[in-house]
Amino acid sequence: MADNNYLKDLILLRNDPSTVARVREAADRGEMDAQYAMGLIYAEGRGVEIDLARAHFWLSLAIAQGDTDADQLRNIIGSQMTDAEFDAAKHLAVAHRATHRAPTSKH
């Protein structure tokens, strides 16, 4: 069973960038809670520099899986973003789709 206590552990991330890697790996595997946690990590600079574009990107992935809390947080972050940050978030999404395409089946 995966250890998905990402939100509980976020308080520990303020001065521990090495913990971010574990959460990022889970988020990359598609774990919705980890994607939300990555959004929060980047929004608040917990173990990383604040990066609203990356926060928006990770929250968008969680929203795509039905996370309504991520939707609320992304709206708050979006209200603080510049046009350049929105563009950066879009580029992250495009790059993610290019490397995480769903496999096509052959019949």
Side-chain angles (χ1 to χ4, degrees):
M1 178 184 257
D3 175 19
N4 59 1
N5 293 316
Y6 310 111
L7 300 178
K8 176 183 69 94
D9 295 338
L10 282 181
I11 196 160
L12 305 175
L13 293 175
R14 288 222 183 264
N15 297 313
D16 188 6
S18 65
T19 307
V20 175
R22 178 179 60 85
V23 179
R24 183 178 291 118
E25 287 173 7
D28 281 335
R29 287 192 305 269
E31 293 184 29
M32 182 179 69
D33 289 339
Q35 291 169 341
Y36 177 89
M38 287 303 298
L40 190 57
I41 286 167
Y42 277 109
E44 295 185 348
R46 294 181 181 217
V48 298
E49 292 292 321
I50 290 174
D51 186 332
L52 298 184
R54 289 189 186 281
H56 192 278
F57 163 73
W58 285 111
L59 292 168
S60 294
L61 293 180
I63 290 165
Q65 296 191 67
D67 189 328
T68 56
D69 291 331
D71 191 32
Q72 292 175 355
L73 181 56
R74 188 181 70 173
N75 287 338
I76 293 167
I77 290 167
S79 71
Q80 301 170 15
M81 291 173 66
T82 65
D83 289 342
E85 288 168 325
F86 273 115
D87 288 341
K90 288 178 194 173
H91 288 293
L92 288 168
V94 168
H96 181 267
R97 281 192 298 272
T99 59
H100 293 83
R101 294 208 184 275
T104 57
S105 61
K106 294 183 179 180
H107 294 275

